[in-house]
Amino acid sequence: MAITIKSALSNAVKLFKDSNIDASSLDAEVLLAHVLHCRRTDLYVNFDRVLGEEDISNFMLLVQKRILRMPLQYITGHSEFMSLDFIVNKSVLIPRPETEFVVESVIRKSNLLSEQKTLNILEIGTGCGNIAVSLAVNLRLSSGRSLKNVRIYTCDISKDALSVARTNARRHNVSEKISFLQGDLFNAFEGLDLRGKVNFVVSNPPYVAETERAELQPEVINHEPELAIFGGRDGLIFYRRIFSEAPDWLAPDGYLIMEMGEGQVNAVATLIREYPFFDGLEIVKDLQKIDRVLIAHIKKGDEGDGENSRGGGASTPWKRKN
C-alpha cells in the first residue's frame, strides 16, 4: 500500500499521542519536512505525494527517536531563536523563546547608551551562542544605523559548546564581533583589560534547583547537558557569583541583565540587595506574564560612601516592566 505524506503524518501523530507527546501534529510535520528537505507549508499542498521507501524509513527512524523523548531540536539539529536559525546538539542547551527577552532588554537599554562609540558586552555561559549571535546581528543604535563597533566577549566552560557557538557565529557572519573564550564565569575574561569597561554583563545561567530534578521532563533531564541546567541546591549559585563579581567589570552606567526561572524573582531580588553595587532594579515579564529577566544598573561613581564608590547605601526598590 502506497504511503502518502498525509498518511505518514497521520500515522506519526497517532504514535505520538499514544506516547503522550505534546504538539504531536507539529512534531510530525517538522520531522517529515526535515526528511524531505522542504517547508512545513509544502506538506499541505502535497498531501497526496507518495513517499519513497528511503524517505519512509528515515522518517520512521526520527519518529522513534521522538517517541523516546529526544527533543525535536536535537533530532533535526536546528533551533529557532530571534528569527535566526541555530545549529544545536546535545552539547548545548536548546534555546527557549523566553530568553529572547534577555536579548531584547540589552537592545532596549543600549539605546540609553547611544553616545558610546563602542559597546563592550560580556556574556556568561554562551551555549550554542544564541544570545551573543543575536545581539551581534540585531543590535542597533537609536538612530537606526548599524552599530559596527560592538564587541561581544562570551564564555563557556564546555569546549564542545564553544565549538557549536563558533559555528553559529560563522553561519550568521558575525564572527568578527564575538570573542569566544573557555573558562569558568569571569575567569575566562582575565587578561583582556576589560575591568570597569563593560557596558553589559549578560547571562542566562543554569538556574534549576537540584531539589527540582525529579520534576523535569524526560526531554530535559535525559538529553540536555546538566552543566547548563542546574544551579546548585537552591538554583541560585550562579546568581551569587555573578552579582558579586560583575561590578568589577561594569563601567559607570553599565547594566547586568540576567534570565530567571519561574518563581525565582523574589529570591533573586532579595539576593541582589545583599550587593550594594546596583540600583534601579527592573523586572521584565515574558509572554506568559512570568517574571523572567532581571535588569540591574550599576551605581555611578559618585554614589555610595567611602573609597568604594559602588558600595554602601540601600538599593532602589525594584520595579516590573510588563
Side-chain angles (χ1 to χ4, degrees):
M1 180 178 177
I3 297 179
T4 64
I5 285 178
K6 182 177 181 180
S7 59
L9 288 174
S10 179
N11 292 337
V13 169
K14 184 180 185 304
L15 290 171
F16 287 157
K17 287 182 176 179
D18 290 344
S19 300
N20 297 316
I21 292 177
D22 295 332
S24 55
S25 295
L26 174 62
D27 285 8
E29 292 167 6
V30 169
L31 292 178
L32 186 53
H34 178 71
V35 168
L36 299 179
H37 305 288
C38 69
R39 298 170 299 178
R40 283 175 54 214
T41 52
D42 294 332
L43 301 177
Y44 299 121
V45 296
N46 292 285
F47 264 165
D48 295 329
R49 171 185 164 184
V50 176
L51 298 177
E53 291 185 5
E54 184 177 356
D55 288 335
I56 295 170
S57 177
N58 290 337
F59 179 53
M60 292 310 300
L61 177 62
L62 301 190
V63 168
Q64 289 301 317
K65 288 183 178 181
R66 186 68 188 101
I67 288 173
L68 294 175
R69 307 305 288 269
M70 181 180 286
L72 193 67
Q73 294 88 342
Y74 287 158
I75 298 174
T76 64
H78 295 266
S79 182
E80 183 179 314
F81 183 84
M82 293 291 294
S83 298
L84 300 172
D85 180 64
F86 286 86
I87 299 295
V88 294
N89 60 32
K90 296 187 72 170
S91 299
V92 299
L93 194 74
I94 296 169
R96 267 63 170 182
E98 51 267 28
T99 305
E100 294 185 2
F101 286 86
V102 173
V103 175
E104 291 170 357
S105 294
V106 175
I107 294 172
R108 176 165 56 87
K109 290 300 183 182
S110 72
N111 291 334
L112 303 178
L113 303 175
S114 58
E115 294 181 0
Q116 296 280 337
K117 293 183 178 180
T118 301
L119 284 186
N120 291 320
I121 299 173
L122 290 190
E123 186 206 6
I124 304 292
T126 196
C128 74
N130 55 303
I131 290 177
V133 171
S134 296
L135 284 172
V137 170
N138 290 289
L139 199 55
R140 297 289 184 269
L141 287 174
S142 57
S143 64
R145 60 186 175 88
S146 295
L147 183 63
K148 295 182 180 179
N149 51 346
V150 60
R151 285 300 311 170
I152 301 172
Y153 304 84
T154 186
C155 72
D156 204 289
I157 201 168
S158 167
K159 181 180 179 180
D160 292 336
L162 287 171
S163 177
V164 176
R166 290 190 181 99
T167 296
N168 283 317
R170 289 193 295 269
R171 293 182 76 241
H172 294 290
N173 300 312
V174 291
S175 293
E176 76 284 357
K177 293 185 178 182
I178 307 174
S179 297
F180 295 98
L181 303 151
Q182 185 176 6
D184 184 27
L185 276 68
F186 291 98
N187 292 338
F189 308 117
E190 294 290 354
L192 295 181
D193 191 29
L194 288 171
R195 287 181 180 270
K197 301 177 182 179
V198 175
N199 304 105
F200 292 95
V201 170
V202 185
S203 183
N204 174 22
Y207 53 63
V208 177
E210 284 284 354
T211 54
E212 299 174 349
R213 180 181 289 266
E215 301 173 18
L216 297 177
Q217 294 178 326
E219 285 87 345
V220 177
I221 194 61
N222 293 335
H223 296 280
E224 298 196 70
E226 289 197 7
L227 279 175
I229 297 173
F230 294 104
R233 181 171 179 80
D234 61 0
L236 300 176
I237 185 172
F238 292 102
Y239 295 98
R240 293 186 181 93
R241 293 183 61 186
I242 293 173
F243 290 167
S244 66
E245 297 182 50
D248 289 337
W249 298 82
L250 284 166
D253 280 344
Y255 290 92
L256 172 63
I257 299 181
M258 298 182 68
E259 183 172 326
M260 301 176 292
E262 183 176 358
Q264 284 186 321
V265 60
N266 289 331
V268 172
T270 298
L271 180 62
I272 199 172
R273 291 193 184 100
E274 297 178 9
Y275 301 88
F277 312 110
F278 302 102
D279 64 4
L281 303 186
E282 180 182 329
I283 305 297
V284 179
K285 292 179 180 291
D286 63 18
L287 292 177
Q288 305 302 316
K289 302 301 180 183
I290 295 170
D291 295 318
R292 184 60 66 184
V293 178
L294 170 79
I295 302 175
H297 182 257
I298 195 72
K299 285 187 175 182
K300 294 183 179 180
D302 58 354
E303 295 183 10
D305 301 316
E307 294 181 359
N308 182 2
S309 63
R310 292 178 180 176
S315 60
T316 304
W318 54 276
K319 60 182 179 178
R320 284 186 171 89
K321 181 176 179 64
N322 295 323

